[in-house]
Amino acid sequence: FAEYERSLIRERTMGGKLKRAEQGLNPGFRPPFGYRTGKARGLIEVVPHEAELVRRIFALHAQGCGPGQIAGLLNGEGLTRRGRPWSGLAIRRMLANPAYAGILQYRGPGRPPTRVEGAFPAIVDRTRWEEAQRLLTERSAQSVRAGGPAAGSFLLAGLARCRCGAPLGGKRVGGRRYYY
C-alpha cells in the first residue's frame, strides 16, 4: 500500500507540474541567472543588471568567443554569477538554455518535453538564441574532428547527443569511463 501511495502522489505531483508548465507558470524550478521568482505566484521576471550580462555573453559568443574564453573574461573583470565565479560549463549551459529566448521547457519523467513559447520575458531574441545553438553545435563538431578536448579517447564524444540536444563528452572517474 505504501508503494502504491508513493506512486500515486508522484503521479499527481508530476501532473500538477506539467499543467503549470502548459499554463506558462513556473513548474517548480529555480529561475536561471537573469531571472527571479516574481511577486505573483508562479511567474518569473527579469533581473535587469543580470539580463545585461546575459546579453553581453550571447554577444561575445556571436563574435567568436568560446564558453571558456567568456568565463575567463568575466572572471578577469571580477564579475560573478550570484557570488560564484564563472566556468565554461556554466556559460555553455546558459547559451543552450531556451529560457533566455522566453521558452519554458519542462520534461516530466517518462513524458515528452512540454515547450511553452513566451511563458516569460525573453532576455535575448529568438534569432540570437538560435544562432547560439548553431554555433555551439558547429564548434563542438569542429573540436571533435580536430581531436580537441571533446574527443579525447571517447569514440562517441561530440557525436552522441543528450536528450536536450547537447553533444556528450567523456570523463573518467575511479578508473571507469562515463559519457556526460
Side-chain angles (χ1 to χ4, degrees), residues 74-94:
L74 296 178
N75 289 332
E77 293 176 10
L79 299 171
T80 62
R81 58 184 173 106
R82 298 178 179 158
R84 296 186 313 264
W86 290 95
S87 68
L89 182 59
I91 299 290
R92 191 190 188 306
R93 286 181 177 160
M94 176 183 283

Side-chain angles (χ1 to χ4, degrees), residues 144 149-160 167-173 176-180:
V144 170
S153 60
F154 295 84
L155 297 175
L156 299 177
L159 300 175
L168 294 176
K171 68 178 180 179
R172 293 177 199 266
V173 177
R176 293 187 152 180
R177 304 166 115 204
Y178 295 93
Y179 284 96
Y180 67 97

Side-chain angles (χ1 to χ4, degrees), residues 29-50:
F29 63 80
R30 182 174 157 221
F33 184 83
Y35 293 101
R36 68 175 164 230
T37 304
K39 291 178 178 54
R41 187 181 158 137
L43 296 180
I44 296 173
E45 59 187 34
V46 174
V47 178
H49 67 278
E50 289 182 0

Side-chain angles (χ1 to χ4, degrees), residues 80-165:
T80 62
R81 58 184 173 106
R82 298 178 179 158
R84 296 186 313 264
W86 290 95
S87 68
L89 182 59
I91 299 290
R92 191 190 188 306
R93 286 181 177 160
M94 176 183 283
L95 293 168
N97 192 341
Y100 293 107
I103 301 168
L104 174 71
Q105 184 168 315
Y106 178 74
R107 178 187 298 251
R111 295 188 171 142
T114 298
R115 288 177 65 111
V116 181
E117 306 270 339
F120 44 87
I123 292 179
V124 296
D125 61 22
R126 183 75 179 260
T127 56
R128 170 69 52 111
W129 183 79
E130 288 173 350
E131 176 67 12
Q133 304 321 294
R134 187 187 66 73
L135 289 173
L136 285 171
T137 303
E138 189 177 282
R139 290 177 183 161
S140 176
Q142 287 173 352
S143 176
V144 170
R145 283 194 300 272
S153 60
F154 295 84
L155 297 175
L156 299 177
L159 300 175
R161 300 250 172 226
C162 172
R163 65 181 173 202
C164 71

